[in-house]
Each structure stands twice: as structure tokens, then as C-alpha cells.
Amino acid sequence: MSELIPPFDWVTFLTEPWSAWYRDTTVRIVAMAFCVSAACGLTGVYLILRRLALMGDAISHSVLPGIALAALLSGTLTGPPILLGAIGAGLLTTWLIDAIHRHSRVKPDAATGIVFSALFALGVAMVTQYGGDLHLDAECVLFGNLAEVATQPGIPPALIQAAAVLVATALLIGAFYKELLVGAFDPTLASSMGIPARWVHHGLMAWLSVVVVTAFEAVGSIIVVAMLIIPGATALLLTDRLWKALLLTVLHAALSSVLGFHLGLWLDGNLPAAMVVAGLALFVLAWLASPTQGLLGRWMARWRLREELERGRAGR
Amino acid sequence: MSDPLPALEVHDLTVAYHKKPVLWGIDFQVPAGKLVGVVGPNGAGKSTLIKAAMGLLPLSSGWVQAFGAPLRDQRHRVGYVPQREEIDWDFPVNVMDVVLMGRYGKLGWLKRPGRRDREIARACLEKVRMLPYADRQISNLSGGQQQRVFLARALAQESDLYFMDEPFAGVDAATEEAIIGLLRELCREGRTVLVVHHDLASVPDYFDWLVLLNLRLVGCGPTTEMFTPAMLSKTYGGQLTVMTEVAQALAKNEALARETRH
Amino acid sequence: MIPCSIGDQTLSHRSSRLRRVLPTVLACLPLLWPAAAEAARIQDVVEAGVLEQAWRFLSLRDPSVRLALAGCVLLGLCCGLLGTFIVVRQYALVGDTLAHAVLPGIALGYVWTLSKSPLHLFVGAVLAGLLGTVVVSLIRDTTRLKRDTALGVVLGGFYGVGILLVTLIQRLPGDKSGVKSFLFGSAAALSESDVLLIAGVAAVSLLLLGLLFPHFRVASFDPTFATSIGIPAQAMHYLLMLLLAWAVVSALQAVGVVMVSALLVIPAATAWLLTDRLHVMAALAMGIGMAAGAAGAFLSALKTGLPTGPFVVLSAAALFSAAFFFAPRKGLVSRVLSKSRQSRRIRRENTLKAIYHLLEEGGFADETVTRQALVERRRRPVAEVDREIAALVAHGLAEPVSADGRVRLTPPGRARAAEIVRNHRLWELFLTHAADIAPDHVHDDAEKIEHVLGEDIVRKLERALDQPTEDPHGKHIPLAQTHP
């Protein structure tokens, strides 16, 4: 066990990474993690509100064959072809799920399970067969390769893409705030006002594919699910206003990136996974201490009630 | 103020849900400025009627016009209060956010609600006496208060034609009184309100116009003419099981079901 | 929508069902024994051609091949059975979450002994899986977050913890070769004890679900009712989750964490397309799971280093597509065919009706109609009307009288034509009289409904309308089966 957890050293794991010597590497990795995690988290808030968390799981898996195909055809692993491949795979997923549950008795959840696992399996088969030439292997799919941004000279293109996607996510949410809000809260009112619900849904799914594919290379395809859902879920435990939840999501992304970075450094483990662990810890903290839904508050209230009852009984 | 054109005209409206027709050949007109009750037994298609009238469901046949123009062009003149069960009350919005949603239809894309919209929203909340609760999350309200908030949202829509799906369900007597007072006021201003309603006892007190519905239109007209034992027994009398059976037979036929859907 | 019928609620079926299924398991077990001999791993063998590998697999002469095959087949059986309940209860995401949530347990189980001891991995994984299930219900009960979000948090969070632990373990000394294959699975690396574990889990699942099948059926269909008649639905839910956790864990070596959920969902969903009965569905799901397992093991054996999981899933998905398109009655193809059959019938009936109208206009003085009259009546091109007449003749509903296209209805044709016209006019009358719909709105409805009215509905309409003889437009309503 002692071999598993290295001794903790304040200087090596907390201050040194930010010293002049390592700062560049640290900033790059943390910035990449933050961009990915915040973009995922912001998109994820709308998945949670629309009860589409399952779609986050599904699309994060099913973009793989799209990526693999686009990479095989274009020979690169970044840029527009990959984004297009991912959007195509994402929309194919939504369409297939819809077609299966419309034309048979299979329910949406099972249809989702069938479609994404089949597409993911196809992607893994493609990657193991042809991935060697593309720096795309099963390892990358599972673990991601966050540290890669640190080794590239100049400003790494992956970081630029992630930052651009984060900014675009924020701008899209700003521009369509009210349409997204009313569409998630009261779809009937939205349609009666002429907001096209179908297009909003497909747009959200297409954007989800973009976000997922951007995160994919850095954190792997399954860690993405955690980054989609955990920040938003934490934020929604702490507030009951949407815009505050969005801000808290970004805060969660920032905190879990920094904390996860240090955790990963200390334990010498997979960085994205360490970030998820940090994010999960923040979720648990929020769950315990939330002012309205917190477990602690609940237990306190129950304890106080029991005290009072006993005092009442004793008094009588 | 009152419009010479009918506020709502429905012509030969047939609607199918999952290939099964649930409304057959509905024809009626509602003059402007009326408080209209949509009344009929369970499963008569009341909610379907107002959803179809708002253009939210594909029609198998027929058309709907508001103020003499297709509904699609009159969206900004139509307001809506949903059934309470359709709402996720845990949603992270407060009372003010919900009422402001009523303004969204007037704003268009890429615009945010401004100060004037906020003023209108506050005024509407004041009207339903919910202004002190403006900052509350909606799950922390009683059933009656929640209904008032949605009424305030409808008021904020400043529409000429309102559709309300059972606004009195799960509401205390005081709120019911307050809501009906507001609806009457709306009608006095020349607006038209269609209310899906369940409680037959209060029908003659509340509404001045009735739409009696049971899979097909039983009657439409002033309450005094429609609220008669003969009309009611025709509405609630059943004996239309044949229509349901035919609808089922129709749903089973792939070739025809496809046609009815479009 | 859970396939369930009152007819076989009886408990007496239980033992016979068990007797039917048990031989399958027993038949698979002997595959294991020869494996006790020094097992060569598939990948140990020098690179060989695809055909050679295929032959090596099909001949089953290699013990490791037998192990891989037995493992995958038994796994398909077990997952198909459990998946049946997952699918009908709409728990697909639960299976997926459980499959990911076991990862930290496996890693800790490994750290426990620093070896791939199946028992320790098993215990760790089952504990982690159950913890995940409990956390999901706790989140749902104490917060505003919905079920899907709770599942997402547990799936992603637990998996993150697991991956972190796995990467930590990579630094440790000891045999850790297998840890990564837990992610995508490698049937070729299945050891004898792995297969025994799978067989054990399959046997326990079969036994429990077989014995308690009626109870599970009612608990899945209507948990509240089940509780009210004394069946502990809650406990059975957790029993199912426990079996599920076992199945997931036993499946890891063969198909991997990521693919287990697919093995749970796809065979059962495929079976659901093929039957309406829960026990048939369970049996079919087991068969489909076994087929997918065998096919996946075979495909991944064709080339060295291919993961098994994806190929099992792809085989299962291929079976699902086949069922989706070609299932008798429910399949897309058979529905398209039946639709085109129905449209052809409707076209024939419309021609019959047109002939009837022509005869009616002539006061039934003449028994024949000309092609030209039909062309005018139907407002269709001559060629199409010719085809329609030919179809009527082929079905024995009409017969040609002369070469220039004059036709006469046969007695069955006359009866059917009268029926259609009667249906049309009856329905119009019903809509206008009983339903108070304006007479000018009723024709279009009746054009469709005339084709679907069965005899019992017609009787009811006639009774409701008091045996009418005239439709709203004043036309005579013919009696069925007789010529007016």
C-alpha cells in the first residue's frame, strides 16, 4: 500500500510546479484541463436539465468511429475533418436511437445502449486495426493524453482548439440563453413561441459532439462522461438559479483542474482521472454541505427534531 | 377593442396520437372577448384540442385560425399556461425567471429581457399578489402559488388569446377565486381565454362560452345554451366506444395510419 | 409493455423450464476440463494467416481456444438472461453504470494481494458495484438531481477513481498484465479459473432466476402490486443488482468493462423484437448472447492481439439489426411488406367501389361496366385502371366479359363491393348523426375507415343507428353479402 501512495511533499507537489522552471508546463496542462472541463461542464448543465445525461454517455462513446474514420481519411488527428467526423457520428447516434425506438418496441434507454456500444465497438475495432499509423490507440481512448500539450513547442494546437471551443460554448450559451432556458424548462411554451424544439435538440447534440471530440484526445472517451455531468451536478446542488449554476460549473472546472493536477502529480497517476477524482470530491463536499439539499443539514435537522421530541416527552 | 373577427376558428380538425385518431372533425368558432370553458369527460381530447389549436401537434386534417389569420403568423398573440404535472419543479429558476419567460416570445433571437420587460413582469406578479415571492425558487411554493406564477407568466405574454390547461387543478379555493377574477378582467379587456376545466359544478359561474368535447365536438356556444342536461348527457353519455374501436382499427393499418399522420 | 401473460403465471412451469435450460449449461461444462492441460495462449502462437487461425479456432484442438469459446458462450448466456430484466425494467443505463463502477473495486482487489487472484478481484468489484448502486439511490433520494444525472455522476466518478488506481498499479511490481485487458477484454487470456467463475455465475443466475422466475416477472412488471401480495420487490431488485454485479465482474476478462453493458442490453433487446412473452424472451436472449459470444470469440481469434469485447458487441449488434429488419411481423421489412399488401388491398377495394357506384348509377340494370367508364370514374390513366382490373380478376373478384375491357363482378366481388360501400355510408351516417359532425366533413374520414371496419364494429354501428337504409347524402346503404 505504501508503494501505491508516495509520501506527500509540500514543496515538490504544490509549490515547485508553479516555480519559474516548471511554470510553462504546469500552466499549459492546467489550462488545457480547465478549457476541456469547463466546456464539457457548461454543455453538461443543459444535458442534466433536459434529462439527457445518458446522451452525454452515449455520444462520448459513439464519436469514436467518426474520429477514426475522419482520421483515416484525412491523416491528421486535429482540425476540421475530425470535428466534422465527430459531428457526423453524434448526429448519426441521435438519429439511430430515434429510428430504433420509433420503429420498434425497444425503449429509448435500451436503444441508446445498443447504438452507442455498437458504434464504440466499431470505433475500437477500427482503432486497433488501423490506429497504429495515426497515434490513435486504445490507450488514448481510455486514458487520454493530457501531458502531450506540455511537450509541444509553441502554443499547442490542441490547447488553441480547446480554448476556442470553450469561448464558443460560452458565447453560444450567452446568445441563446433564453431559448435554451425556456426549451429545457417548458418545451410546450417554447414551441408555442415558435422556438423550434427539434433544431435546438439537434444543435445541442451537434455541439456536444464538438465538445466531446475536443476533450477526447486530452482525457479519453470515458472520462469525458464525468467531466460532462459532475461539474453541473455539483453546481445544481449549490444553487437554484441557472446563471449561478453555470458560473459555479466553471468554478468547479477550474478547481478540479488545479486540484486534480496536484493530486495526479503527487500520486504519479493518470492526470485526467485525478481531475475527475478531485471533481468527485468537490461533488461529495457540495452534497454534504449544500445549504438546501445537503446531507449535513438534513442530519442536523433530524437530530434537532429528535432532541426536541425527547425534550417534549421529558417535559411531559 | 373587441375584434370583429373570431378570436379562434377551428375547421374540420382531426388529430391522431401514435396513429390513433383522438379528435374527429372538430368545427367551431369562438368570438373575441369570451371566457371559454373546454369541457368533457376524461380522455375526450381536451388537452389535445388546445395543443393542436396552438399548432403543437401535427394535424391529420383541418386548419386553425386566430383573428382571421393562420396561427403560425399569430404566435405573438397567443399565450399558454401548462398543466402543472408537465413542469419540472426542481428546475433552477426562481419566480421572476419564470415570469420573464413570458416576455421571450416578444424579444426575438439574441435579445435579453430589458428593464421594461422586468417592469412588466413585476406588474404581472403584483396582479397575482406574488411579488413578495419574486426571488423564491419555484419548488418552494404551494400549489396555488405555483399556479399564480404561471398565470403571471401568461399575463406577461400580453396575448390576445390564451390557452390554459386545467389552471384550477390542485389549487386552494382562495387562489381559484383570485384566478377567475383575473381571467374575467382579461376578458373585459377584450382578450379571449380558453380554459380546460374539470369541475362541472362551477362551469355556469365561471364561463360565458362553452366548448363541449367528447372525441368530436358536441356543442359550442353561450353557456346558457350549452349548459343544459341534454347537451351534458350527450357529452358525458359515452356510447362512442365505437369511435375508439375504429381509431384502434385504423392505427393497426400501416398503410392508412401513415396517411392520417400527415 | 413488459411481456407478460396471465396464462403462465403458474409456478408449475418453473421446474420444467429449469430442466430445459440446465442441459445447455451442462453441455458447455465439459469444454472446460481438457483445458487443465498446459494451456497455450492464442497470442503465444506465431503469427499465422487468417484462414489458418480460423481453422485453428473451428477445430477446437487448442485448449485456449476452447477456454475462450466456453467463456464467451457462458457469458452470453448469463448476460442475456440478466439483460432480459434490465431491458424490460428500462435499466439499460444502470447496467452501464454498474459496469464502470466496479473498476475501483477491481483495482483495490488487485492491490489487496498484488496478484490477479480472481476471488479478491471479484469481492472488490462486487463491493464497488453495490456501493455505486447505493450511492445512486442516495443521490436520488436526498437531492433534486434526477436518476440519469445520479447515474452519470457515479459512472464517471467511479470510473475516474478506477482509472487513477489502475495507473497507480501500473507502477507496482507483480503480474499486472491483465489489468488493462479488463478494459476491452481479451478472451484469449481467459484462464481456467476465469471460465470457472463465469460458469459459476451463470449457473447461480440460471438457478435463482429459474426458480424465482414468476416472482421476478411480477416484481419487474408491477413492483407495487408485487409488494402488496407479499413478494419483496425491493429485495429482489437488490438481488438482481447483486447478480448483475457478479456477471459484470466475471465478464471483465473476456469482454472488458466498456462492453459488458452492451452484452446485457443488445441480446435482450433483440429477443424483445422477436417475442411477446417474458420467458421466451429470456430463452432467446440467452441463445442470442451465446451466439454473439461465440462469434465474437471467433472473430477476435482471427488476428493476434485483437480485443474480444468489441467483436462480441459488433456480433450482437449485427444480430440486433437482423432482427430489427427481418423479424417476422415486427421487423421493418415485414411491416413495409404488410403495408404494401394493405395498400394493394385498399386500391382493389377502391376499384370495386368505383364499379359498384357505376352499377348503382345505372340502377343495376346492367351487370357490366366498361373500362372507359372506370377510367373516367377513377380519374386514373388507362394503364393503371387496366392493372387494377387485372388485380381484381386475379383475386377472383371480377371477370372479363369481352376483349375491349368490359368486366363483371363475380359473386364474392359483388359482396365485397357492397360491404365497402355499406361501410362508407354507415360511417358517414354515424359521424353526422351520432357524432354531430357536419355532413361535408365526413367523406374523407369514411374513405379511410371503410377499409378497416370489421363485422363486429359494423354490427354496433347498425345498432347505434337503428338499422339505417339511407346515408346522409340520401343514398341507399346496401346490405352486406347480398346483391341489392
Side-chain angles (χ1 to χ4, degrees):
Chain A
M1 206 50 153
S2 61
E3 292 160 85
L4 203 63
I5 300 174
F8 183 72
D9 174 358
W10 190 267
V11 177
T12 324
F13 301 122
L14 283 188
T15 30
E16 207 168 277
W18 299 95
S19 68
W21 188 253
Y22 295 107
R23 193 180 298 143
D24 188 42
T25 314
T26 306
V27 166
R28 281 177 180 204
I29 291 178
V30 171
M32 182 70 189
F34 169 72
C35 289
V36 162
S37 172
C40 283
L42 287 175
T43 314
V45 170
Y46 288 96
L47 293 184
I48 295 172
L49 293 180
R50 293 171 155 255
R51 306 189 189 186
L52 289 173
L54 178 55
M55 282 309 289
D57 184 24
I59 288 195
S60 66
H61 285 82
S62 63
V63 291
L64 184 60
I67 297 174
L69 189 67
L72 276 177
L73 293 179
S74 73
T76 62
L77 260 185
T78 44
I82 300 292
L83 286 183
L84 284 179
I87 293 177
L91 290 179
L92 178 70
T93 311
T94 49
W95 181 77
L96 279 177
I97 291 170
D98 196 45
I100 288 181
H101 96 89
R102 213 150 27 92
H103 290 294
S104 74
R105 55 167 64 158
V106 175
K107 302 284 179 285
D109 69 322
T112 311
I114 293 166
V115 171
F116 88 74
S117 47
L119 285 175
F120 187 61
L122 187 67
V124 173
M126 284 167 80
V127 167
T128 47
Q129 192 70 287
Y130 309 108
D133 323 327
L134 292 166
H135 304 289
L136 187 69
D137 55 9
E139 194 121 341
C140 167
V141 173
L142 286 168
F143 303 123
N145 193 354
L146 188 56
E148 201 183 353
V149 287
T151 56
Q152 286 163 348
I155 302 175
L159 182 56
I160 296 173
Q161 186 183 334
V165 166
L166 173 59
V167 171
T169 310
L171 286 178
L172 281 172
I173 288 177
F176 298 112
Y177 184 82
K178 64 182 199 302
E179 284 79 11
L180 286 167
L181 172 63
V182 71
F185 178 62
D186 189 348
T188 320
L189 179 74
S191 323
S192 82
M193 286 173 167
I195 297 171
R198 255 179 83 84
W199 290 108
V200 173
H201 178 73
H202 285 298
L204 186 64
M205 289 302 118
W207 189 250
L208 176 63
S209 312
V210 169
V211 168
V212 161
V213 75
T214 307
F216 175 85
E217 210 188 331
V219 301
S221 82
I222 304 167
I223 295 281
V224 175
V225 183
M227 295 203 162
L228 282 169
I229 305 301
I230 294 181
T234 312
L236 288 170
L237 286 178
L238 295 174
T239 177
D240 42 26
R241 300 294 300 282
L242 180 58
W243 63 271
K244 284 187 197 163
L246 291 169
L247 290 182
L248 280 173
T249 301
V250 175
L251 181 68
H252 179 280
L255 278 177
S256 63
S257 306
V258 175
L259 292 177
F261 172 75
H262 289 294
L263 182 69
L265 207 60
W266 167 37
L267 297 177
D268 187 19
N270 178 266
L271 282 180
M275 281 159 190
V276 169
V277 172
L280 188 65
L282 291 174
F283 173 83
V284 172
L285 210 61
W287 187 14
L288 287 173
S290 154
T292 50
Q293 309 167 60
L295 288 178
L296 288 182
R298 218 173 255 267
W299 289 330
M300 290 273 277
R302 200 177 298 167
W303 180 73
R304 226 175 278 143
L305 188 68
R306 195 181 303 151
E307 286 280 287
E308 247 163 62
L309 283 176
E310 295 206 338
R311 215 178 302 137
R313 209 173 293 149
R316 220 187 310 144
Chain B
M1 188 81 195
S2 86
D3 229 316
L5 288 163
L8 181 70
E9 182 175 4
V10 173
H11 181 83
D12 191 16
L13 180 87
T14 299
V15 184
Y17 251 142
H18 301 297
K19 304 178 184 174
K20 212 185 281 178
V22 286
L23 282 177
W24 303 77
I26 308 286
D27 257 328
F28 67 88
Q29 289 189 1
V30 173
K34 295 280 187 256
L35 181 49
V36 186
V38 179
V39 176
N42 277 331
K46 301 184 296 277
S47 291
T48 309
L49 176 67
I50 65 167
K51 287 213 169 110
M54 281 193 294
L56 302 178
L57 297 174
L59 308 183
S60 301
S61 75
W63 46 258
V64 180
Q65 284 191 344
F67 307 106
L71 204 89
R72 189 174 290 275
D73 307 328
Q74 299 282 22
R75 282 227 167 93
H76 57 283
R77 293 178 77 180
V78 171
Y80 171 61
V81 174
Q83 233 168 340
R84 269 167 45 77
E85 298 92 80
E86 289 173 11
I87 297 297
D88 171 12
W89 295 102
D90 290 333
F91 205 90
V93 283
N94 67 14
V95 168
M96 193 65 185
D97 292 335
V98 174
V99 179
L100 274 177
M101 281 180 204
R103 305 297 305 159
Y104 286 4
K106 301 250 185 291
L107 285 174
W109 296 89
L110 299 178
K111 290 217 190 74
R112 313 294 303 273
R115 191 193 301 174
R116 209 184 90 77
D117 296 311
R118 281 177 189 283
E119 272 165 20
I120 292 172
R122 292 177 74 83
C124 294
L125 273 177
E126 181 59 56
K127 264 193 197 156
V128 299
R129 305 221 185 78
M130 285 295 291
L131 194 53
Y133 299 90
D135 292 331
R136 283 268 195 108
Q137 206 273 337
I138 49 172
S139 62
N140 303 327
L141 299 174
S142 73
Q145 289 170 328
Q146 289 172 340
Q147 203 63 62
R148 288 183 202 209
V149 172
F150 276 83
L151 195 67
R153 184 178 79 175
L155 295 179
Q157 286 187 276
E158 296 185 324
S159 306
D160 297 315
L161 174 60
Y162 284 106
F163 294 97
M164 305 194 177
D165 206 344
E166 306 223 9
F168 302 117
V171 151
D172 53 292
T175 304
E176 185 156 341
E177 193 89 343
I179 292 178
I180 198 69
L182 271 166
L183 299 187
R184 289 208 178 102
E185 199 185 315
L186 284 174
C187 294
R188 270 198 299 279
E189 291 168 9
R191 303 175 203 272
T192 314
V193 184
L194 260 85
V195 178
V196 171
H197 193 59
H198 231 95
D199 178 23
L200 268 187
S202 51
V203 163
D205 298 337
Y206 286 179
F207 304 113
D208 37 35
W209 198 271
L210 282 187
V211 174
L212 298 176
L213 204 66
N214 189 353
L215 300 177
R216 85 295 183 196
L217 185 78
V218 178
C220 172
T223 306
T224 44
E225 288 170 28
M226 286 297 131
F227 202 73
T228 61
M231 289 307 279
L232 288 177
S233 75
K234 224 168 152 189
T235 313
Y236 287 85
Q239 61 151 306
L240 282 175
T241 45
V242 176
M243 286 184 106
T244 323
E245 279 175 46
V246 169
Q248 257 151 7
L250 203 55
K252 270 194 211 128
N253 188 308
E254 302 264 347
L256 288 172
R258 185 48 68 88
E259 280 173 40
T260 42
R261 233 205 281 176
H262 296 292
Chain C
M1 280 301 274
I2 290 182
C4 182
S5 72
I6 301 160
D8 60 6
Q9 291 271 356
T10 48
L11 299 178
S12 64
H13 278 231
R14 176 214 303 165
S15 53
S16 66
R17 188 174 310 117
L18 198 63
R19 244 176 276 133
R20 248 180 288 138
V21 178
L22 216 52
T24 326
V25 190
L26 294 178
C28 290
L29 287 176
L31 285 172
L32 308 179
W33 306 135
E38 291 291 297
R41 294 279 152 85
I42 291 182
Q43 66 259 54
D44 295 344
V45 181
V46 245
E47 189 78 37
V50 168
L51 277 180
E52 208 171 314
Q53 291 279 33
W55 170 242
R56 219 167 70 80
F57 187 91
L58 291 175
S59 66
L60 290 180
R61 67 186 138 93
D62 201 320
S64 75
V65 168
R66 285 200 289 269
L67 271 183
L69 185 62
C72 286
V73 166
L74 283 169
L75 199 60
L77 182 148
C78 176
C79 287
L81 177 62
L82 291 172
T84 303
F85 292 94
I86 298 289
V87 168
V88 295
R89 294 207 64 176
Q90 305 190 34
Y91 274 178
L93 186 55
V94 175
D96 194 30
T97 304
L98 207 58
H100 287 81
V102 296
L103 193 59
I106 292 174
L108 286 178
Y110 176 82
V111 173
W112 192 354
T113 57
L114 283 187
S115 73
K116 256 177 60 191
S117 141
L119 182 70
H120 292 95
L121 297 186
F122 191 74
V123 171
V126 168
L127 288 180
L130 289 182
L131 179 67
T133 326
V134 171
V135 172
V136 168
S137 13
L138 212 59
I139 293 179
R140 276 184 67 198
D141 292 346
T142 62
T143 72
R144 287 187 196 138
L145 300 175
K146 304 287 182 287
R147 175 164 165 262
D148 63 328
T149 306
L151 287 166
V153 167
V154 169
L155 187 158
F158 275 50
Y159 181 79
V161 175
I163 287 286
L164 183 64
L165 288 171
V166 166
T167 52
L168 297 190
I169 290 170
Q170 301 277 332
R171 291 189 284 107
L172 295 182
D175 169 31
K176 63 212 175 202
S177 57
V179 179
K180 219 183 83 190
S181 70
F182 281 155
L183 295 169
F184 290 136
S186 163
L190 279 178
S191 69
E192 192 189 336
S193 52
D194 290 328
V195 178
L196 277 175
L197 188 67
I198 297 174
V201 171
V204 170
S205 306
L206 260 178
L207 203 67
L208 276 176
L209 290 178
L211 287 173
L212 300 174
F213 191 83
H215 304 94
F216 270 107
R217 172 161 51 197
V218 65
S220 317
F221 179 61
D222 187 349
T224 322
F225 172 72
T227 316
S228 77
I229 59 170
I231 294 174
Q234 185 77 11
M236 297 190 67
H237 170 73
Y238 278 102
L239 178 61
L240 192 64
M241 288 297 122
L242 186 69
L243 288 177
L244 203 59
W246 285 355
V248 164
V249 177
S250 69
L252 292 181
Q253 181 68 71
V255 297
V257 173
V258 189
M259 304 294 173
V260 182
S261 68
L263 203 50
L264 286 167
V265 174
I266 304 181
T270 313
W272 204 0
L273 294 179
L274 300 172
T275 177
D276 293 330
R277 307 285 298 278
L278 188 63
H279 64 279
V280 183
M281 179 177 163
L284 278 174
M286 286 190 276
I288 293 164
M290 282 159 44
F298 173 69
L299 289 174
S300 68
L302 289 183
K303 209 178 142 203
T304 310
L306 286 185
T308 314
F311 287 95
V312 173
V313 173
L314 286 175
S315 315
L319 290 173
F320 176 82
S321 320
F324 181 75
F325 287 109
F326 303 113
R329 283 188 304 130
K330 300 251 163 51
L332 206 56
V333 169
S334 85
R335 275 171 35 199
V336 168
L337 286 180
S338 98
K339 185 183 156 185
S340 87
R341 234 182 354 257
Q342 279 167 344
S343 341
R344 279 204 302 278
R345 177 174 67 87
I346 287 166
R347 253 205 314 278
R348 275 202 309 278
E349 291 180 351
N350 284 338
T351 319
L352 278 180
K353 191 173 62 177
I355 295 176
Y356 186 95
H357 284 152
L358 288 171
L359 295 176
E360 190 182 41
E361 274 163 22
F364 300 103
D366 190 358
E367 282 204 343
T368 63
V369 295
T370 61
R371 179 171 69 181
Q372 192 49 41
L374 259 182
V375 168
E376 279 161 23
R377 182 95 208 168
R378 294 276 283 146
R379 293 201 203 104
R380 296 283 155 85
V382 180
E384 197 181 324
V385 169
D386 275 344
R387 270 202 304 280
E388 285 175 349
I389 291 174
L392 287 187
V393 173
H395 279 81
L397 296 169
E399 51 199 13
V401 180
S402 60
D404 63 340
R406 191 170 274 276
V407 289
R408 174 170 52 210
L409 292 180
T410 62
R414 269 204 304 274
R416 186 66 196 140
E419 247 172 50
I420 298 292
V421 172
R422 175 205 61 186
N423 288 355
H424 183 102
R425 294 180 180 169
L426 260 184
W427 185 249
E428 285 189 345
L429 195 66
F430 178 77
L431 286 186
T432 47
H433 277 216
D436 295 310
I437 291 171
D440 60 326
H441 289 358
V442 293
H443 181 72
D444 289 348
D445 267 341
E447 281 288 295
K448 290 173 205 154
I449 280 150
E450 62 192 17
H451 302 290
V452 299
L453 288 188
E455 274 311 301
D456 50 333
I457 298 183
V458 168
R459 290 289 97 76
K460 277 186 200 159
L461 285 176
E462 283 174 348
R463 228 174 302 130
L465 296 166
D466 210 11
Q467 312 295 343
T469 52
E470 280 196 354
D471 80 352
H473 312 294
K475 288 199 177 137
H476 179 73
I477 298 179
L479 291 166
Q481 310 297 339
T482 52
H483 191 268

